[in-house]
Amino acid sequence: MEKSTSRQSRKKVVAVVGGGLVRQETQNIRRAKIVKGRSINLALSHRGRQALKHVGLEEKIVAKGIPMHARMIHSLNGKQSPIPYGRKGQYILSVDRANLNKELLTAAETYPNTKMNFDHKLQDWNAETGLMTFARLDGSKEQVKTDLIVGCDGAFSAVRKQFLRRSRFDYSQTYIPHGYMELTMLPINGEFAMKPNYLHIWPRNTFMMIALPNLDKTFTCTLFMPFEDFEKITTGDEVIEFFQKYFPDTIPLIGADTLQRDYFRLPAQAMVSVKCNPYHIGDACVLMGDAAHAVVPFYGQGMNAGFEDCIVFDEIMDQFNEDFSAVLPEYTRVRVPDDHAIADLAMYNYIEMRAHVNSKWFLFRKYVDNILYFFMPKTIIPLYTMVTFTRTRYHEAVKRWHWQNKVINRGLLLSAVGAVLGGSYLLIKNPPDINKLIVSAEKMWDRLVALRTL
């Protein structure tokens, strides 16, 4: 991409490496018969929508999304209980990964200063000279000289490899011990097999399954489970036995034959979390999206955080008059703490989704948080609301969450202590007649005996 501005007389060549959603994609998926890569549905929320709005695509993408207003919790006994995501009218959107990729590529091609190069794989680049070497499908190589390299090529970024050769570059990657497997729930009589405007969750403490709706009225079901548990299931009968034990209500919806076929179609896939710092090298290169901060999918913020990277970068470009030597260090300073925070939150949310939603204390605290948010919307804001429905910086949302938890828990403790002391005072001040209590207890026992006899 060539960038020309009134502030700078010379055009600058900017190479954006990676053609997919916060990951590397060398093929043109609009022409591909089979789209390779992860197919976990994407949950589009406020941060991502703001980025799409910035480039005039929000309405087009939202029109092809399905609103999800709440989590629908499926208990083992078949009971379904909704947990709203936020206030009335607040929702996240289930969007198709491939369609969103296609729309973004088509929109990017409309800019006259943009040239698309598909089937080019980055082999090497030099931060000092800006020289990049790409390999084509036919085995030939092409070299390009750039002023700025933007690495958007995913969790296993080829751009980031150069960073690893430099001193004072922090990098870590963590594979969680759980994998994921996708299954498809087809429509029944031409309609959704379940209520479509929910993110369905079957929480089973150490593992879970979720289901997101698609425009073709199917559901994409994703089973998240420790790899060792996946490996224990080796036959079709064992698949049915497992689902009968833990997800019995899904068997008639997915179909026993489909379950047995799809379970062995592909092995369980791994999930990795990546953190690094800094995100830039001088004024020559910057990392964005999964190349900078791959996160596990449990907060639904991977794409949204990647899109927000673009907004933040654009805001800093305006702030520093597009001076890359000032923009890139500031981008690292601003963005690193936020991206590390959402990576940690995504890890935490897996525990919440598969285990905490079964807890009465968790549901009680959700209720208390929402009540306080209703009466004190500027003082108490639920963590999920800050992360999903605002652009509050991720690390600031975490700080505020910890402070709110401390205040609310202390308030609940004081209320409980006050109730006990108040009750004790009333009992001391007005002691009950023991004889009356004994008579009442005897009457209650007689009634229970009578009921038992009946």
Side-chain angles (χ1 to χ4, degrees):
M1 179 184 289
E2 293 180 343
K3 186 174 180 72
S4 177
T5 71
S6 58
R7 302 186 188 97
Q8 298 167 324
S9 57
R10 187 179 74 84
K11 289 183 178 180
K12 289 203 170 187
V13 178
V14 179
V16 181
V17 181
L21 283 168
V22 291
R23 65 192 181 96
Q24 183 168 15
E25 181 65 73
T26 60
Q27 64 174 338
N28 186 346
I29 65 168
R30 294 167 297 178
R31 297 174 186 170
K33 292 180 180 179
I34 299 175
V35 179
K36 297 178 182 179
R38 289 196 311 182
S39 58
I40 290 178
N41 290 55
L42 298 164
L44 178 65
S45 55
H46 180 75
R47 297 172 199 265
R49 290 182 65 164
Q50 288 299 299
L52 292 170
K53 185 178 181 179
H54 211 64
V55 293
L57 285 175
E58 182 186 19
E59 290 185 8
K60 193 169 189 178
I61 301 302
V62 168
K64 291 186 178 180
I66 299 177
M68 298 183 292
H69 298 274
R71 297 168 174 170
M72 182 64 80
I73 308 302
H74 293 249
S75 300
L76 197 55
N77 61 9
K79 181 184 176 183
Q80 298 183 24
S81 309
I83 303 177
Y85 280 123
R87 290 176 167 176
K88 187 176 181 180
Q90 288 183 323
Y91 57 86
I92 59 177
L93 283 159
S94 174
V95 296
D96 179 72
R97 178 187 292 271
N99 177 68
L100 183 51
N101 262 309
K102 293 172 185 177
E103 294 289 359
L104 290 170
L105 287 173
T106 300
E109 278 185 335
T110 63
Y111 291 86
N113 61 342
T114 301
K115 180 185 177 184
M116 299 284 188
N117 294 282
F118 296 101
D119 299 316
H120 283 57
K121 190 170 184 177
L122 180 65
Q123 286 196 323
D124 200 8
W125 62 276
N126 187 297
E128 281 67 40
T129 64
L131 190 66
M132 308 178 73
T133 303
F134 292 90
R136 296 196 189 98
L137 284 180
D138 60 7
S140 63
K141 294 183 178 180
E142 180 180 350
Q143 290 191 320
V144 179
K145 191 173 174 61
T146 66
D147 295 290
L148 177 66
I149 300 167
V150 183
C152 302
D153 51 339
F156 306 102
S157 169
V159 174
R160 196 181 57 228
K161 286 180 182 177
Q162 281 288 351
F163 285 69
L164 293 168
R165 298 172 185 171
R166 294 176 170 262
S167 65
R168 299 176 64 192
F169 176 67
D170 296 326
Y171 173 78
S172 68
Q173 69 174 37
T174 304
Y175 280 95
I176 65 173
H178 294 64
Y180 73 90
M181 176 182 289
E182 292 194 336
L183 307 164
T184 302
M185 185 181 291
L186 296 173
I188 295 178
N189 298 323
E191 295 298 329
F192 283 104
M194 302 183 295
K195 295 177 181 178
N197 296 117
Y198 296 91
L199 191 158
H200 294 263
I201 306 176
W202 290 260
R204 299 298 181 259
N205 295 318
T206 58
F207 57 91
M208 70 173 183
M209 188 166 73
I210 67 171
L212 277 75
N214 301 307
L215 281 178
D216 62 0
K217 297 188 177 180
T218 62
F219 277 92
T220 299
C221 304
T222 310
L223 175 61
F224 298 97
M225 191 164 65
F227 279 103
E228 58 188 33
D229 290 338
F230 276 116
E231 292 161 3
K232 289 176 183 175
I233 301 172
T234 58
T235 68
D237 288 342
E238 288 176 344
V239 172
I240 300 302
E241 184 181 340
F242 172 77
F243 270 78
Q244 190 65 55
K245 184 175 181 181
Y246 294 107
F247 312 110
D249 58 329
T250 67
I251 296 177
L253 301 178
I254 298 175
D257 292 340
T258 303
L259 263 178
Q260 290 175 311
R261 182 187 70 241
D262 288 359
Y263 189 92
F264 297 105
R265 186 178 53 184
L266 289 171
Q269 304 295 301
M271 291 173 283
V272 66
S273 179
V274 170
K275 291 181 180 178
C276 65
N277 182 33
Y279 288 170
H280 73 287
I281 295 177
D283 63 352
C285 180
V286 64
L287 301 174
M288 293 187 185
D290 278 9
H293 50 82
V295 299
V296 291
F298 305 114
Y299 221 114
Q301 286 295 303
M303 171 188 65
N304 293 289
F307 281 3
E308 191 177 48
D309 286 347
C310 302
I311 301 180
V312 171
F313 190 80
D314 190 58
E315 290 168 348
I316 296 172
M317 284 279 281
D318 288 340
Q319 182 183 346
F320 290 94
N321 297 319
E322 301 180 4
D323 177 2
F324 292 156
S325 64
V327 169
L328 271 56
E330 179 67 6
Y331 174 76
T332 286
R333 186 191 71 80
V334 170
R335 203 62 184 147
V336 166
D338 290 330
D339 293 332
H340 287 190
I342 192 57
D344 293 338
L345 278 177
M347 290 285 200
Y348 159 79
N349 213 48
Y350 183 34
I351 301 171
E352 178 174 304
M353 291 175 75
R354 62 181 165 84
H356 290 176
V357 292
N358 288 325
S359 162
K360 290 183 179 179
W361 170 252
F362 172 82
L363 296 174
F364 170 70
R365 271 303 311 272
K366 279 276 185 187
Y367 178 77
V368 170
D369 289 353
N370 289 332
I371 289 291
L372 293 174
Y373 181 41
F374 179 81
F375 287 106
M376 298 182 290
K378 293 183 179 179
T379 305
I380 302 295
I381 306 174
L383 174 64
Y384 194 89
T385 297
M386 287 189 281
V387 170
T388 308
F389 300 119
T390 76
R391 275 197 62 204
T392 302
R393 292 184 62 182
Y394 288 125
H395 85 280
E396 290 177 357
V398 172
K399 283 182 181 178
R400 184 165 185 161
W401 174 49
H402 289 316
W403 173 82
Q404 289 177 174
N405 274 345
K406 192 180 293 184
V407 170
I408 294 170
N409 287 338
R410 283 180 180 175
L412 290 172
L413 178 61
L414 289 173
S415 298
V417 170
V420 170
L421 291 176
S424 300
Y425 173 78
L426 289 173
L427 284 172
I428 295 169
K429 194 78 173 175
N430 303 290
D433 188 331
I434 300 297
N435 293 324
K436 288 183 179 179
L437 285 176
I438 293 173
V439 171
S440 298
E442 288 176 347
K443 287 182 178 179
M444 182 64 70
W445 176 254
D446 290 340
R447 289 176 183 175
L448 289 172
V449 170
L451 285 171
R452 188 177 178 181
T453 304
L454 290 173

